[in-house]
Amino acid sequence: MAAEQESLQVIASRYRALLALAHDVIYVLDAAGNLLDINAAGEQLTGYRRAELLGRPVADLVLPEHLPIMRQMLERKIEGQPATTYTVEIQARDGRRVVLEVNTRLVYRDGRPIEIHGIARDITERQQARAQRGFLTDVSQVLNATLDDDAILEHIAALAVPRVADYCIVDIIEPGGRLRRAAVRHADPACREVLAELAERYPPGRTNLSGVPAVLREGTTVFRPEIGPGEIEGAAQDARHLELLRTLDPRSAIMVPIWLEGQVGGAITLARTAASPAYTQADATMAEELASWAAQALTNARIYQATRHARTQAERAAEQIATLQRLTAALAQALTPAAVADVVVEHGIAAAGAYGGSLVARGAQADRLDVLAVAGYPTGTWESRAPIDLTADLPIVEAARTGEPIWLPTHAAYAARYPQMAAQTQTSTVALAAIPLSLGGRVLGALGLSFDTPQIFDAGARDFLLAIALQCAQALERARLYIDSQAQAARFAVLAEAAQAFAARSRDLPALQDLLCARAAAHVGDLALLAMRSDDGGQVAVAAIGHRDSDTLAALRPLLVGARYAADTNLYAAALDGQPLHRAGLAQAELWAALGAPAPPAYAHADTFDLLVVPLRAQGQVFGALGTLRAAAGRPYRDSDLALLQNLADRAALAIDNARLYAREQRARAEAEAAVQLRDTFLSVASHELKTPMTALLGQAQLIQRRDAREQQLSDRDRRSVAIIIAQIQRLNRLTMALLDTTRIQQGRLEIRRAPCDLIALLQHILDDVEPTLSQHRIAYMRPPGDLTIMGDALRLEQVVLNLLENAVKYSPQGGQIVVELVREGDEARLSVSDSGIGMPAADIPHLFTRFYRASNAAGSYISGMGIGLFVIREIVSLHGGRVGVTSEEGVGSTFSVWLPLAKARAASGSEVAACQPDTRSAEHGG
Ligand code: ADP
């Protein structure tokens, strides 16, 4: 028995020794789970002494999340199910976690379990190795499936914690060289904020502890298997930093570089706290492998992104080209600037992804921009289409003013540049672009686009919008040219029609003036006024007005037509100086005061007027002015209006000037005719009255002469006196007769009596009479051979010859030779009388045979005359079927010739010729 007892003790101590030797933990629990016994391996593994452990519930050691599996396995055992090995994790005294593979059996007494016997093996390292393998497999799978930089880095951190690290930090060098903390992860959610604060307040690259700067600089792994508290204190920058680092409590860390395209592109930090075993060299190798996977994935992602970027760029370019083509096609259909603007705004908005757009263009007014199109803005924000002042502080106006595009990609940029506009909240504008429409260095206007999201105006986007703007500028210019050409064609038509109409009334001055005003009112302004300068130039008078509306015209006419103004004070002054005038915004009061009329009711509502006035010119003289008025609220005058008005005025001016000259000439002619009529009447009466006493005087003188011839009573002196009296009375008689002749000629009452007349005999007879009376002159005459008989009035022909001889004597006051020639020339006889007297200027010759005409050198000389002799001569000669001619040179002499048709040979009988003797003439003949 003693031996048996002894042997039981021996056996017990033997087992105890064996238990102490065992590497595995061997333990005994009671039915409630309290430790009854544990071997030395158990003490070593947990870090507690046996005495401390005995009696404690085993659940104190096991991590809470592993308790359920433990209980579950126990229950299965009690139910008699097959026992299996399972793993639990416990926390050692120093905080380390230990993974145990557990095997248990139940001990029963009286059918009830009273003890649990268990063996637990530390498989922490085995687990870790497996975890590492699994981790790297997972890493490769996850990263291979990810093509986004940030997602890759997030995945790395997420996979690493908690499997290979308690916390993980990934830092990446950005393209600009800045270090960015791309991902952080901590196994303990409570510590995530610590990591975030560290990243925020103590950015990477500053702390020595992290070792990241060294990794990035050297490109090599930094492996810190043990980190002591002193190191943490040394690394802390300030108290808070130290606090944060202490909370993190890193005990072991590995920092590995990420190599990207031959350069260090970032670093991964894996760290373990007291909760995990320190890193081993194998972990460092694993971390390097992780970094290479990361590098591979990042490189792939970047290549992918570059490819995708290139593809989206290409797609965008294609889309933009398509948009531009659509725009070009649509613009080709747009004929007016407004249509062009609509197309551009519509396509521009769509193509640019804007929500609203507008287009402004320089127009008629130099200091304003016309609003051609607005689209997309909410109602109430851009209702007015009134022209915008060029000085306005708006992006679109600034672009049109400066020719520089404005790109405001964000609301911040917008608010910085246009604070007032950006402060308005009716629109949702966040970004905007204002692009000038330029062509050949000229800025035609600007295109504005508003966006409700921030924009990236990169080179591609800008080029695209600039291309749209260029298309728009070209289309706008094309439309303008088209409209201009249409307008020009219309103007030409107006002018051509007006010119014809003016020509058709070329002699009717009032009609012309009315017509000009009507055309000016119809095509340029609403009301047209024509003012004509007085002859002395000091005044203007409104000669005519025109108005589009006939009722208004009728009402205005009595108010305005006929009004007179001083030429240098009123609205016409500039035009009368030859300067066209364009006045915009002329006030009502000023206008009607200048026109000297009350404002007519038709204009009661007009506020101000635009006025154009152009001069009316002809032959270098401004003789009037044409003005047109338009209520300023309507379409403003353009340069083309001024040109049209001036053109109308120019075309009318010639016609009006002609009509004025014509009227003036008509007046002068009527006056002259009346004067001539008066003179002729006087001459006719006077010569009739003179004729009777002269005939009586001549009769008495001739009676004395005849008595003396019979009785010889007179002294020689008295006889000569009587002869002189008779000669002078006869001369006076001839003059009176000539005067009477002219009145007869005027009235068509001069007649000749035709009879055969021998010109040679007639001339000889006259010369015989005249020669003795000449003292200073000598007549050279060669009587022609043969016979020169004409059918004529001998008395009238004698009058012709005497007159020519008288002139030859009178106009050669120095005396000299007078050559008389009578010759046959074909069927005519020519009689010429030449002198070497004063002659006459060539300019006078054509007028010489008109009534009362005297050559300029005779009229101004002392040689008296009335200018009727040659007039009568021509009449007598032409009544004979003959003609007259003269050659003369001033200061040299003159030759007057008369051609008379010769009588047919048969008619020239002797008896009839005798009837041509001058003796038979009587003073009354031909009267
Ligand atoms: P009157 O001699 O009375 O003026 P006439 O009818 O005979 O009128 O002549 C018209 C004008 O013709 C003259 O005034 C003179 O200027 C010019 N005239 C006529 N005959 C001559 C002449 N032989 N030499 C120069 N001038 C002449």
Side-chain angles (χ1 to χ4, degrees):
M1 211 35 218
E4 276 182 10
Q5 282 174 351
E6 191 190 58
S7 72
L8 274 177
Q9 280 178 351
V10 169
I11 290 168
S13 66
R14 190 181 299 147
Y15 277 111
R16 199 162 298 282
L18 282 173
L19 285 178
L21 273 178
H23 280 291
D24 292 340
V25 178
I26 299 170
Y27 62 92
V28 178
L29 304 179
D30 63 15
N34 300 317
L35 268 169
L36 294 178
D37 199 358
I38 189 159
N39 67 348
E43 284 183 307
Q44 209 181 337
L45 191 109
T46 61
Y48 296 102
R49 275 179 290 118
R50 187 162 169 271
E52 290 172 304
L53 290 170
L54 294 186
R56 273 180 70 180
V58 75
D60 281 0
L61 293 174
V62 176
L63 291 178
E65 60 265 36
H66 287 262
L67 287 174
I69 175 110
M70 245 178 76
R71 271 192 212 105
Q72 196 189 343
M73 294 311 284
L74 194 63
E75 276 159 22
R76 287 178 65 159
K77 279 234 157 73
I78 295 170
E79 285 162 15
Q81 287 183 31
T84 48
T85 307
Y86 62 94
T87 50
V88 292
E89 233 172 286
I90 63 159
Q91 188 153 33
R93 180 177 219 161
D94 58 5
R96 259 181 321 110
R97 271 180 244 150
V98 184
V99 185
L100 297 175
E101 191 178 62
V102 181
N103 221 335
T104 56
R105 71 178 270 272
L106 289 178
V107 179
Y108 293 85
R109 183 176 295 162
D110 304 332
R112 285 183 29 232
I114 52 157
E115 277 183 6
I116 301 161
H117 295 177
I119 291 186
R121 179 168 291 174
D122 178 2
I123 58 163
T124 309
E125 275 184 26
R126 207 174 76 201
Q127 278 285 80
Q128 278 178 355
R130 195 192 294 149
Q132 268 183 16
R133 276 198 307 282
F135 168 68
L136 287 175
T137 311
D138 287 353
V139 164
S140 66
Q141 281 176 359
V142 170
L143 294 197
N144 275 345
T146 311
L147 286 167
D148 175 77
D149 280 25
D150 281 346
I152 287 169
L153 303 171
E154 287 289 345
H155 283 322
I156 287 172
L159 288 166
V161 177
R163 287 210 270 183
V164 296
D166 290 317
Y167 69 89
C168 172
I169 297 170
V170 187
D171 295 309
I172 278 294
I173 298 172
E174 299 269 78
R178 202 173 64 90
L179 194 61
R180 181 170 67 92
R181 184 137 292 180
V184 291
R185 189 54 87 100
H186 201 293
D188 181 356
C191 288
R192 287 191 188 146
E193 298 201 344
V194 176
L195 279 179
E197 190 179 338
L198 264 183
E200 169 93 1
R201 288 178 58 168
Y202 308 97
R206 295 227 187 133
T207 103
N208 292 332
L209 177 74
S210 78
V212 167
V215 171
L216 296 176
R217 201 171 52 241
E218 308 291 336
T220 50
T221 302
V222 171
F223 176 34
R224 314 292 299 278
E226 302 280 347
I227 297 169
E231 259 181 276
I232 288 181
E233 277 161 30
Q237 294 170 22
D238 54 33
R240 178 62 185 160
H241 196 192
L242 183 61
E243 197 181 334
L244 292 172
L245 290 177
R246 278 192 178 140
T247 316
L248 271 185
D249 191 24
R251 298 292 176 86
S252 179
I254 309 168
M255 281 145 278
V256 282
I258 304 173
W259 284 87
L260 292 172
E261 295 167 46
Q263 289 189 328
V264 180
I268 302 173
T269 303
L270 300 176
R272 277 183 175 160
T273 62
S276 303
Y279 284 120
T280 61
Q281 190 56 51
D283 293 318
T285 310
M286 176 275 305
E288 283 169 358
E289 206 169 323
L290 171 67
S292 88
W293 277 112
Q296 170 103 42
L298 285 175
T299 307
N300 282 348
R302 287 183 183 181
I303 290 171
Y304 170 76
Q305 278 156 16
T307 318
R308 197 177 55 177
H309 182 68
R311 199 172 59 230
T312 43
Q313 286 290 93
E315 280 167 2
R316 190 166 79 160
E319 171 58 30
Q320 289 179 346
I321 288 170
T323 302
L324 281 177
Q325 281 170 345
R326 281 196 298 277
L327 178 66
T328 312
L331 283 177
Q333 311 287 323
L335 287 180
T336 64
V340 167
D342 284 340
V343 168
V344 171
V345 167
E346 188 186 313
H347 279 74
I349 289 176
Y355 81 84
S358 61
L359 195 133
V360 298
R362 287 172 185 267
Q365 296 159 279
D367 55 348
R368 301 269 169 106
L369 289 169
D370 291 340
V371 178
L372 296 190
V374 177
Y377 296 100
T379 35
T381 51
W382 195 340
E383 304 282 72
S384 163
R385 296 292 188 274
I388 309 178
D389 206 288
L390 200 55
T391 57
D393 191 24
L394 299 171
I396 195 166
V397 176
E398 191 174 327
R401 191 171 59 228
T402 62
E404 293 295 329
I406 295 170
W407 311 104
L408 300 173
T410 61
H411 195 270
Y414 178 34
R417 190 139 168 197
Y418 299 99
Q420 285 187 334
M421 250 183 94
Q424 288 170 7
T425 50
Q426 296 104 308
T427 66
S428 46
T429 305
V430 166
L432 60 83
I435 309 146
L437 306 178
S438 308
L439 208 59
R442 283 175 307 128
V443 182
L444 309 181
L447 170 66
L449 293 169
S450 302
F451 303 85
D452 48 16
T453 53
Q455 296 296 303
I456 301 168
F457 292 123
D458 59 7
R462 290 182 186 202
D463 283 351
F464 173 59
L465 293 175
L466 289 171
I468 287 185
L470 181 63
Q471 290 267 352
C472 171
Q474 285 169 344
L476 211 55
E477 183 77 343
R478 219 169 38 232
R480 288 224 167 128
L481 288 177
Y482 174 76
I483 291 217
D484 280 358
S485 69
Q486 295 282 94
Q488 194 148 28
R491 281 202 298 279
F492 279 141
V494 165
L495 287 173
E497 189 276 332
Q500 273 189 359
F502 294 149
R505 290 163 183 76
S506 62
R507 290 190 171 179
D508 187 347
L509 185 60
L512 263 177
Q513 292 172 337
D514 281 344
L515 189 67
L516 173 59
C517 287
R519 290 293 192 276
H523 300 297
V524 186
D526 302 326
L527 170 64
L529 296 115
L530 174 66
M532 303 289 270
R533 195 172 223 158
S534 60
D535 285 343
D536 66 1
Q539 280 195 322
V540 284
V542 176
I545 67 165
H547 198 281
R548 279 174 196 235
D549 176 54
S550 54
D551 290 344
T552 312
L553 178 63
L556 287 177
R557 202 172 249 147
L559 294 175
L560 298 176
V561 174
R564 290 184 167 276
Y565 320 106
D568 54 352
T569 56
N570 107 333
L571 296 173
Y572 296 102
L576 291 171
D577 275 351
Q579 299 301 317
L581 174 80
H582 178 187
R583 268 194 63 183
L586 183 64
Q588 278 259 30
E590 188 184 350
L591 171 72
W592 300 112
L595 292 177
Y603 284 95
H605 302 297
D607 194 11
T608 57
F609 290 89
D610 286 354
L611 174 73
L612 286 181
V613 192
V614 295
L616 248 70
R617 299 170 289 218
Q619 294 160 46
Q621 298 281 314
V622 177
F623 63 87
L626 174 65
T628 59
L629 274 170
R630 200 187 252 174
R635 194 167 56 91
Y637 283 125
R638 292 163 162 262
D639 288 350
S640 54
D641 289 314
L642 189 63
L644 178 59
L645 190 66
Q646 184 68 68
N647 262 313
L648 270 177
D650 288 348
R651 274 159 213 239
L654 270 179
I656 289 180
D657 192 49
N658 284 342
R660 275 170 18 122
L661 289 178
Y662 178 76
R664 212 175 279 168
E665 194 242 13
Q666 289 286 90
R667 233 178 7 252
R669 182 192 296 260
E671 282 167 9
E673 273 170 4
V676 166
Q677 185 64 44
L678 200 66
R679 186 191 60 200
D680 286 352
T681 310
F682 166 75
L683 287 177
S684 172
V685 171
S687 32
H688 267 291
E689 290 299 313
L690 285 171
K691 213 172 66 183
T692 318
M694 244 161 17
T695 308
L697 212 56
L698 183 62
Q700 290 302 317
Q702 284 173 335
L703 202 65
I704 293 170
Q705 203 177 39
R706 276 201 294 278
R707 193 182 301 138
D708 178 55
R710 279 197 314 272
E711 299 172 5
Q712 299 285 329
Q713 290 168 333
L714 297 178
S715 65
D716 282 353
R717 221 176 67 190
D718 290 344
R719 196 167 293 128
R720 271 201 307 281
S721 293
V722 171
I724 288 170
I725 288 169
I726 290 173
Q728 289 303 322
I729 293 174
Q730 281 173 335
R731 188 160 162 245
L732 201 58
N733 202 29
R734 278 201 304 279
L735 275 174
T736 314
M737 294 309 292
L739 274 174
L740 269 173
D741 284 345
T742 64
T743 54
R744 283 193 194 110
I745 291 168
Q746 279 303 108
Q747 293 155 4
R749 290 198 294 113
L750 184 71
E751 284 169 6
I752 54 164
R753 296 184 186 169
R754 288 173 186 268
C757 176
D758 178 359
L759 286 179
I760 298 171
L762 179 68
L763 178 60
Q764 190 60 57
H765 177 76
I766 295 168
L767 292 177
D768 288 347
D769 266 6
V770 168
E771 258 189 316
T773 66
L774 301 175
S775 53
Q776 287 176 287
H777 298 84
R778 216 161 27 79
I779 291 179
Y781 171 64
M782 283 277 283
R783 185 191 174 105
D787 166 54
L788 291 173
T789 300
I790 66 159
M791 289 301 289
D793 187 326
L795 273 175
R796 287 298 184 187
L797 290 172
E798 185 188 356
Q799 188 183 346
V800 168
V801 177
L802 273 176
N803 217 324
L804 290 179
L805 286 171
E806 237 172 54
N807 280 352
V809 170
K810 191 162 74 170
Y811 294 107
S812 50
Q814 310 298 323
Q817 177 164 275
I818 294 166
V819 179
V820 177
E821 202 183 358
L822 179 63
V823 290
R824 168 194 282 268
E825 282 183 358
D827 292 343
E828 293 176 317
R830 172 172 64 81
L831 171 75
S832 297
V833 178
S834 306
D835 62 59
S836 46
I838 64 171
M840 71 194 71
D844 288 313
I845 291 177
H847 313 287
L848 220 50
F849 292 90
T850 49
R851 198 160 59 130
F852 302 119
Y853 190 87
R854 302 202 70 204
S856 49
N857 61 336
S861 75
Y862 54 90
I863 304 169
S864 68
M866 294 199 297
I868 53 175
L870 290 177
F871 172 68
V872 176
I873 285 175
R874 191 189 58 177
E875 192 63 21
I876 292 171
V877 171
S878 68
L879 283 172
H880 281 86
R883 61 205 158 85
V884 294
V886 58
T887 57
S888 180
E889 196 177 331
E890 195 174 7
V892 177
S894 314
T895 298
F896 286 82
S897 300
V898 168
W899 287 266
L900 293 162
L902 288 169
K904 307 278 182 268
R906 184 183 53 81
S909 72
S911 61
E912 284 165 337
V913 170
C916 190
Q917 290 306 307
D919 278 356
T920 62
R921 69 173 187 247
S922 97
E924 281 91 48
H925 190 113

